[in-house]
Amino acid sequence: MAKLMIIYYSRTGNTKEMAEEVTKGARVVEGVEVVCKEVDEATSEDLLSSAGIILGSPTYFRQMAAELKSFIDKTIDVYGQLKGRVGGVFSSSGSPEDGEKCLISLSEVLDCHGVAVLGKVLAVVTPGEREREECRKLGEMVARRILG
Ligand SMILES: Cc1cc2nc3c(=O)[nH]c(=O)nc-3n(C[C@H](O)[C@H](O)[C@H](O)COP(=O)(O)O)c2cc1C
């Protein structure tokens, strides 16, 4: 079964809440295995074995958190092997302007790996109902696209 991998880092729980909603949305779609991992459990093999990849991070100094970047840097071992996959990104930030910059940095990572970014979700600090719904929609959209 095709797999959708959601990988995130969260220190104070806001990005984690978003990851849970993305997962919930994706699980609505039958025929896709949805796996959600904290970044310290993730491996390059997780990316290689997935048709969809969604990354989430808090905004730290207008970028993704070092914990996620450290994982990303290790994925150089599968560079060139992820082309054609689909994905998305999400972040929780203190301000919308800085959060947008983090979303761009996350998108650049997927783009660099040849993964098409279908959607981005930003929550300013704690996700409200609107952002939670956007997260669910992101998960569902990417899962549906995996099925074609
Ligand atoms: C080290 C650090 C750096 C941060 N840098 C920014 C920043 O540049 N811009 C911003 O809007 N918020 C910044 N924040 C706020 C976080 O993005 C925000 O609190 C977020 O909700 C944390 O997500 P989490 O609960 O998933 O850990 C920073 C927080 C920390 C701890």
Side-chain angles (χ1 to χ4, degrees), residues 1-6 22-29 32-36 139 143:
M1 193 189 289
K3 189 158 71 183
L4 169 57
M5 182 66 56
I6 298 147
V22 173
T23 304
K24 212 184 282 179
R27 289 204 168 130
V28 165
V29 181
V32 176
E33 182 193 358
V34 182
V35 179
C36 180

Short mmCIF file of all heavy atoms in Angstrom, two decimals, residues 1-6 22-29 32-36 139 143:
data_model
loop_
_atom_site.label_atom_id
_atom_site.label_comp_id
_atom_site.label_asym_id
_atom_site.label_seq_id
_atom_site.Cartn_x
_atom_site.Cartn_y
_atom_site.Cartn_z
N MET A 1 0.85 -1.20 0.00
CA MET A 1 0.00 0.00 0.00
C MET A 1 0.88 1.25 0.00
O MET A 1 1.89 1.31 0.69
CB MET A 1 -0.88 -0.01 1.27
CG MET A 1 -2.00 1.01 1.23
SD MET A 1 -2.87 1.17 2.82
CE MET A 1 -3.76 -0.38 2.88
N ALA A 2 0.48 2.24 -0.80
CA ALA A 2 1.25 3.49 -0.85
C ALA A 2 1.25 4.17 0.52
O ALA A 2 0.25 4.12 1.24
CB ALA A 2 0.65 4.42 -1.89
N LYS A 3 2.36 4.78 0.84
CA LYS A 3 2.51 5.36 2.18
C LYS A 3 2.65 6.89 2.13
O LYS A 3 3.30 7.43 1.25
CB LYS A 3 3.75 4.75 2.84
CG LYS A 3 3.91 5.09 4.31
CD LYS A 3 4.79 4.09 5.01
CE LYS A 3 6.24 4.20 4.61
NZ LYS A 3 7.08 3.18 5.24
N LEU A 4 2.03 7.54 3.12
CA LEU A 4 2.21 8.98 3.33
C LEU A 4 2.90 9.17 4.68
O LEU A 4 2.40 8.70 5.70
CB LEU A 4 0.86 9.71 3.32
CG LEU A 4 0.87 11.17 3.78
CD1 LEU A 4 1.82 12.03 2.96
CD2 LEU A 4 -0.54 11.76 3.70
N MET A 5 4.06 9.82 4.65
CA MET A 5 4.86 10.01 5.86
C MET A 5 4.77 11.47 6.32
O MET A 5 5.03 12.38 5.54
CB MET A 5 6.32 9.65 5.51
CG MET A 5 7.29 9.73 6.63
SD MET A 5 7.04 8.55 7.97
CE MET A 5 7.08 7.01 7.08
N ILE A 6 4.40 11.65 7.58
CA ILE A 6 4.37 13.00 8.16
C ILE A 6 5.47 13.05 9.21
O ILE A 6 5.48 12.23 10.15
CB ILE A 6 2.99 13.27 8.80
CG1 ILE A 6 1.90 13.20 7.71
CG2 ILE A 6 2.95 14.61 9.53
CD1 ILE A 6 0.57 12.68 8.18
N VAL A 22 -3.12 16.89 10.48
CA VAL A 22 -2.74 16.46 9.13
C VAL A 22 -2.95 14.95 9.01
O VAL A 22 -3.51 14.45 8.02
CB VAL A 22 -1.25 16.84 8.83
CG1 VAL A 22 -0.81 16.23 7.51
CG2 VAL A 22 -1.06 18.35 8.82
N THR A 23 -2.53 14.24 10.05
CA THR A 23 -2.66 12.78 10.06
C THR A 23 -4.13 12.37 10.00
O THR A 23 -4.51 11.47 9.23
CB THR A 23 -2.01 12.22 11.35
OG1 THR A 23 -0.66 12.67 11.40
CG2 THR A 23 -2.04 10.70 11.38
N LYS A 24 -4.93 13.05 10.81
CA LYS A 24 -6.36 12.75 10.83
C LYS A 24 -6.98 12.93 9.45
O LYS A 24 -7.74 12.08 8.97
CB LYS A 24 -7.03 13.72 11.83
CG LYS A 24 -8.22 13.14 12.56
CD LYS A 24 -8.87 14.18 13.45
CE LYS A 24 -8.15 14.41 14.75
NZ LYS A 24 -8.80 15.45 15.59
N GLY A 25 -6.65 14.02 8.80
CA GLY A 25 -7.20 14.30 7.46
C GLY A 25 -6.77 13.26 6.45
O GLY A 25 -7.57 12.79 5.64
N ALA A 26 -5.52 12.87 6.51
CA ALA A 26 -4.99 11.89 5.55
C ALA A 26 -5.64 10.53 5.75
O ALA A 26 -5.87 9.78 4.78
CB ALA A 26 -3.48 11.79 5.70
N ARG A 27 -5.97 10.21 6.99
CA ARG A 27 -6.52 8.88 7.29
C ARG A 27 -7.96 8.71 6.79
O ARG A 27 -8.48 7.60 6.78
CB ARG A 27 -6.42 8.58 8.79
CG ARG A 27 -4.98 8.35 9.18
CD ARG A 27 -4.79 7.52 10.43
NE ARG A 27 -3.39 7.15 10.55
CZ ARG A 27 -2.64 7.30 11.63
NH1 ARG A 27 -3.16 7.80 12.73
NH2 ARG A 27 -1.37 6.93 11.62
N VAL A 28 -8.58 9.79 6.37
CA VAL A 28 -9.91 9.71 5.76
C VAL A 28 -9.84 8.96 4.43
O VAL A 28 -10.81 8.34 3.99
CB VAL A 28 -10.44 11.16 5.53
CG1 VAL A 28 -11.62 11.20 4.60
CG2 VAL A 28 -10.78 11.81 6.87
N VAL A 29 -8.67 9.03 3.81
CA VAL A 29 -8.51 8.46 2.47
C VAL A 29 -8.16 6.97 2.58
O VAL A 29 -7.15 6.62 3.19
CB VAL A 29 -7.39 9.22 1.69
CG1 VAL A 29 -7.22 8.65 0.30
CG2 VAL A 29 -7.72 10.71 1.64
N VAL A 32 -4.34 4.39 1.51
CA VAL A 32 -3.03 4.99 1.79
C VAL A 32 -2.66 4.72 3.25
O VAL A 32 -3.47 4.95 4.15
CB VAL A 32 -3.05 6.53 1.54
CG1 VAL A 32 -1.71 7.16 1.92
CG2 VAL A 32 -3.39 6.84 0.09
N GLU A 33 -1.47 4.21 3.45
CA GLU A 33 -0.98 4.01 4.82
C GLU A 33 -0.41 5.34 5.31
O GLU A 33 0.47 5.91 4.66
CB GLU A 33 0.11 2.94 4.83
CG GLU A 33 0.63 2.64 6.22
CD GLU A 33 1.92 1.82 6.23
OE1 GLU A 33 2.39 1.44 5.15
OE2 GLU A 33 2.44 1.58 7.33
N VAL A 34 -0.90 5.84 6.42
CA VAL A 34 -0.47 7.15 6.92
C VAL A 34 0.37 6.94 8.19
O VAL A 34 -0.10 6.34 9.15
CB VAL A 34 -1.68 8.06 7.23
CG1 VAL A 34 -1.20 9.43 7.71
CG2 VAL A 34 -2.57 8.19 6.00
N VAL A 35 1.61 7.42 8.16
CA VAL A 35 2.51 7.26 9.30
C VAL A 35 2.97 8.66 9.75
O VAL A 35 3.40 9.45 8.92
CB VAL A 35 3.74 6.41 8.93
CG1 VAL A 35 4.67 6.26 10.13
CG2 VAL A 35 3.31 5.05 8.41
N CYS A 36 2.84 8.93 11.04
CA CYS A 36 3.26 10.22 11.59
C CYS A 36 4.39 9.98 12.59
O CYS A 36 4.22 9.20 13.53
CB CYS A 36 2.07 10.89 12.27
SG CYS A 36 2.46 12.50 12.97
N GLY A 139 -3.57 17.13 4.65
CA GLY A 139 -3.33 15.68 4.72
C GLY A 139 -4.18 14.93 3.72
O GLY A 139 -3.69 14.05 3.00
N ALA A 143 -2.86 12.84 0.40
CA ALA A 143 -3.19 11.41 0.36
C ALA A 143 -3.96 11.08 -0.93
O ALA A 143 -3.69 10.06 -1.58
CB ALA A 143 -4.00 11.02 1.59
#
